Amino acid sequence: MLDHDDEIHPLFSGAPTSTAFKKLRKRIVRQTREAIEAYGMIENREADPDAPRPRWLVCLSGGKDSYTLLAILHELQWRGLLPVDILACNLDQGQPGFPATVLPEFLERMGVPHRIEYQDTYSIVVDKVPEGRTFCALCSRLRRGNLYRIAREEGCSAVVLGHHRDDILETFFMNLFHGGRLATMPPKLVNEEGDLFVYRPLAHVAEVDCEKFAAAMQYPIIPCDLCGSQDGLQRQQVKQILNGWEANSPGRRQVMFRALMNARPSHLLDPKLFDFAGLLRNPDGISENPQEIPTLR
């Protein structure tokens, strides 16, 4: 499908023609389509056929994940499989040394509609976060608020983020280890104000595939020096644990990720999710609603 330049979006110009890359690309496209369909990310317009075509604000940080997201969404749109308009957006947060011209030049060259927004949240984060604490929570909160504002100004119905399978899995374990709850990044949610969707179309895509894809395409990667330069981040610790499990048992990450899509409330301990108090026994020994006992191996 990538043999002829007139068949592809400019974001795929110069793509490798190797069989390995074609398989990689097809896998990412398939997994992205699966997530978009499974979690209902395309708004149903049957109730109002005259409603404007949905517009997505696709957030571009300059990292491997957001480049992969942008390319795959445009590929789906290019092939008529994603009936939405796409506006790429980069929020320049004022980090010292940030290469401010890289993304605008790239997006112009690729012919991608975009908006570059400058907001110096870096100074706020450095001023407010005590020494020795990590910047992530405040930085992401400020970034999210600005992205919601931009989405409203641009008439977008959704803010689209590049979090992948491993981000979701790591967040689950961070909540498990440090937050005392079973929760992670959902692939689809509505913001607190209720006026915007937040989508994560790469929810089923492995981080290593994003890395291979962006490297093969030679996209101009911009590192995050604000939080990435800090030591002792909880996410880094969780990533190391998962890397160790994966090394000892290849495929473990995918098995654990599948578990997030196969929850059994009756076999957990949250009485708000399952009515344990309402369970009744049957003196005759015949249950109308038998509960499966999980098998541990």
Side-chain angles (χ1 to χ4, degrees):
M1 296 175 69
L2 292 174
D3 294 336
H4 304 289
D5 288 342
D6 59 355
E7 292 183 353
I8 60 174
H9 188 274
L11 280 163
F12 281 88
S13 296
T17 58
S18 66
T19 300
F21 179 82
K22 291 180 180 180
K23 288 182 177 179
L24 171 67
R25 173 206 155 271
K26 290 176 70 174
R27 180 166 64 250
I28 298 176
V29 168
R30 172 176 53 79
Q31 291 171 339
T32 303
R33 285 190 67 190
E34 287 175 354
I36 289 173
E37 293 174 2
Y39 304 110
M41 296 183 190
I42 299 177
E43 297 176 50
N44 188 345
R45 301 173 66 197
E46 291 182 1
D48 185 6
D50 297 325
R53 180 178 165 104
R55 196 178 197 206
W56 288 5
L57 188 78
V58 178
C59 303
L60 190 65
S61 67
K64 64 184 186 308
D65 310 325
S66 61
Y67 277 120
T68 300
L69 173 69
L70 184 70
I72 297 302
L73 292 183
H74 273 88
E75 173 74 358
L76 290 172
Q77 185 193 57
W78 180 264
R79 298 190 180 282
L81 301 173
L82 186 64
V84 303
D85 294 326
I86 294 173
L87 178 69
C89 177
N90 171 249
L91 179 63
D92 181 345
Q93 297 180 258
Q95 295 171 226
F98 181 78
T101 62
V102 170
L103 285 171
E105 291 176 354
F106 172 81
L107 294 168
E108 287 286 350
R109 189 167 66 251
M110 295 295 110
V112 174
H114 62 278
R115 172 170 169 175
I116 306 296
E117 178 86 3
Y118 178 82
Q119 291 289 332
D120 184 9
T121 64
Y122 173 84
S123 297
I124 299 174
V125 170
V126 172
D127 178 64
K128 298 295 184 182
V129 176
E131 185 176 353
R133 300 288 297 274
T134 57
F135 299 143
C136 294
L138 179 57
C139 179
S140 63
R141 189 159 60 248
L142 293 172
R143 181 172 61 249
R144 185 166 58 245
N146 277 289
L147 291 172
Y148 288 170
R149 171 182 56 80
I150 295 168
R152 296 184 185 106
E153 292 174 357
E154 296 290 346
C156 296
S157 60
V159 173
V160 186
L161 306 175
H163 296 122
H164 46 64
R165 180 201 71 179
D166 297 79
D167 288 324
I168 292 172
L169 194 57
E170 289 163 13
T171 301
F172 170 80
F173 279 102
M174 288 174 65
N175 280 314
L176 179 67
F177 295 156
H178 304 287
R181 59 183 178 269
L182 298 181
T184 189
M185 298 173 175
K188 176 183 179 180
L189 61 86
V190 176
N191 68 336
E192 293 180 359
E193 294 79 6
D195 64 333
L196 292 169
F197 287 114
V198 177
Y199 296 149
R200 296 181 172 96
L202 298 185
H204 293 177
V205 179
E207 180 178 18
V208 66
D209 281 351
C210 293
E211 187 171 1
K212 291 177 180 177
F213 179 85
M217 292 304 306
Q218 299 182 343
Y219 292 140
I221 304 299
I222 300 174
C224 178
D225 296 324
L226 176 60
C227 57
S229 61
Q230 292 184 284
D231 295 325
L233 293 177
Q234 293 175 352
R235 186 171 293 275
Q236 292 176 350
Q237 296 170 1
V238 168
K239 186 184 287 287
Q240 291 173 0
I241 292 172
L242 295 179
N243 286 342
W245 287 346
E246 184 72 18
N248 291 330
S249 181
R252 178 67 57 85
R253 264 195 175 93
Q254 185 60 20
V255 172
M256 292 187 293
F257 182 78
R258 285 207 309 270
L260 297 180
M261 299 185 287
N262 189 23
R264 305 288 179 89
S266 64
H267 289 78
L268 296 173
L269 306 178
D270 191 341
K272 296 186 295 297
L273 295 180
F274 186 80
D275 184 15
F276 293 99
L279 279 177
L280 300 175
R281 66 184 183 88
N282 189 323
D284 297 327
I286 301 175
S287 175
E288 295 181 357
N289 298 296
Q291 290 180 280
E292 177 187 350
I293 299 176
T295 300
L296 302 180
R297 297 175 180 173

